[in-house]
Structures are given as C-alpha cells and as structure tokens.
Amino acid sequence: MVRAFSLAVACIFALTAAAESAPSRKRNPSAQEQSKPQQAGQEPDEFRSCDVSVREFVQGRKEAAALPVTEVKVDGLRMTLNFVHLYGESGDTPPNLAFTRGESIEERRKALNEAKQRARLLAEAARTGNVWYVIAVRKENDPGDERRNIMNSSTSDAQQPSANAVVMASIEGRCITVSQYENIPVGSLGPDLQQALGQQEKEASPVEKPPPSPPS
C-alpha cells in the first residue's frame, strides 16, 4: 500500500514537473525572438540619439557635412557659445538672455544659473564626442527663399551659394537642437570647409578656352 502510494506521489511529481517545464520551453523561443528585434533596433549609431535628426537635416545632399564639435567656448559675460570643429569655428551664437525675463532678482539669478549649467553640460558633451556641427549648402530654388523675388539687378548676389547649419547634441539619450545658423555665405567659410562641401572643386574647375588663332 505504501509502495503504491509512493509510486502515485512520484507520478504526480513527474507530471507536475513536466507541466511546469513545458511552458518554459515554449516561452524561451518567443523570448529570444522578441529580444532579437530589440537588439537590432538598439544598434549604436555614430550620431547617438541624433541619428535621425542629423540625416533629416542633410536630406541626402552631397554638399553637406556633419562635423564633431571638439570644444564649446562659453562666454559667461555675454552668454554666448562658439562651437569648435575640425575646420574652424561656428561663430558666436546670439546671447542667451532668457534669464532677464524673471520678475524678481531671485528668479533671474536662478534662470541664469540654469543657463550656465546647461552650457557646462554642453561643453562636457562636446568633450565626450556627443555634439555635431551639421552644415549643408542650400538647394537652388529653395522654397521660402526670399531672394527669388529680388530684381535682376541683384542676381549676381543671389547666385552666391549659401548654407544652413545646426548644432545638435546627444544628451541623456535625447537629441537637442542647440543653435541654428541660416544663410551663411559659403565664401565666408574656411577653405577646408569649402572643400569638404565640394565648393572649391566647382570654383577651381577650369573653363575651356578656344585655342588661339594662328598668327597671320
């Protein structure tokens, strides 16, 4: 009787263990299948969280460059920023005077300290390779270009190429647009940056001249 009871208990334990292990075997493949797409979606990108924003700004144009910012020059007196990259500097941003909107001196001082803290975070992000200066030559007949309404007497100025630029930073898993620069004359850029944008090659392309006529 005891032996039969022992066999019955053993059979119950065996069936229970089999029932518990069966779902786990079924769950394992599905868990692996779910982890594969997540791992594929989390593939690291050279622009971190700004992967989409940088490419959206460039829009596939060849005359564009995304340059890592190596240093952020902070002017604490004038509250401006200047971004240093491989081919030079972006130039000073407009002064950040948001702290002047506070009603009391305490509110303005708090806003000022927050702005200074953001500048320090941005400088640290540049040191760790998380800030980019993205520049692209403007398309011809760009929608919204006011120059298309200029009279023919100014067409020589309108034909001068210009560029738009933006500074983006990847901070704490978010892409932040730090500053924007519009209608930058390409001629004002350094020669190395002009070459990176393919502009010097156009200017340096020789114009075919007719052969000289033989002396009479």
Side-chain angles (χ1 to χ4, degrees):
M1 183 68 179
V2 175
R3 185 179 300 174
F5 180 77
S6 300
L7 290 174
V9 171
C11 290
I12 292 173
F13 282 145
L15 292 173
T16 303
E20 292 177 352
S21 62
S24 64
R25 286 196 299 268
K26 293 181 180 179
R27 285 195 299 267
N28 288 337
S30 61
Q32 292 176 358
E33 291 174 1
Q34 292 176 0
S35 63
K36 288 181 180 179
Q38 292 178 358
Q39 292 176 358
Q42 296 175 356
E43 182 180 356
D45 188 89
E46 58 180 322
F47 300 115
R48 280 72 164 182
S49 61
C50 294
D51 50 355
V52 174
S53 300
V54 168
R55 293 172 174 86
E56 184 177 6
F57 183 84
V58 171
Q59 294 185 357
R61 282 174 277 186
K62 293 182 178 180
E63 298 174 338
L67 309 173
V69 173
T70 57
E71 180 186 357
V72 179
K73 294 182 179 180
V74 181
D75 189 330
L77 175 61
R78 297 167 182 82
M79 296 302 293
T80 60
L81 303 173
N82 189 5
F83 304 96
V84 182
H85 52 77
L86 178 63
Y87 298 129
E89 302 179 0
S90 67
D92 290 337
T93 61
N96 182 1
L97 303 179
F99 65 91
T100 60
R101 301 169 188 165
E103 296 182 358
S104 65
I105 188 66
E106 290 79 11
E107 292 177 355
R108 281 178 277 175
R109 184 173 290 116
K110 179 181 178 182
L112 175 61
N113 289 330
E114 289 176 351
K116 290 161 61 177
Q117 177 64 20
R118 286 193 294 269
R120 285 192 290 267
L121 290 174
L122 193 59
E124 179 61 28
R127 283 192 288 268
T128 56
N130 285 280
V131 183
W132 298 270
Y133 176 77
V134 190
I135 183 170
V137 177
R138 292 169 60 89
K139 296 179 181 179
E140 296 181 359
N141 300 324
D142 194 7
D145 191 351
E146 297 179 355
R147 292 179 304 173
R148 65 173 177 260
N149 296 325
I150 298 178
M151 302 301 292
N152 292 334
S153 59
S154 302
T155 53
S156 60
D157 295 334
Q159 291 175 355
Q160 295 296 324
S162 62
N164 291 340
V166 65
V167 177
M168 298 181 183
S170 177
I171 299 178
E172 296 180 352
R174 295 186 302 136
C175 185
I176 301 173
T177 299
V178 180
S179 184
Q180 294 180 336
Y181 302 84
E182 296 183 352
N183 297 327
I184 307 170
V186 174
S188 66
L189 303 174
D192 292 336
L193 183 51
Q194 290 188 43
Q195 185 175 1
L197 296 174
Q199 295 301 302
Q200 284 192 340
E201 296 177 359
K202 291 183 178 181
E203 296 177 359
S205 58
V207 178
E208 295 184 0
K209 297 182 180 180
S213 57
S216 56

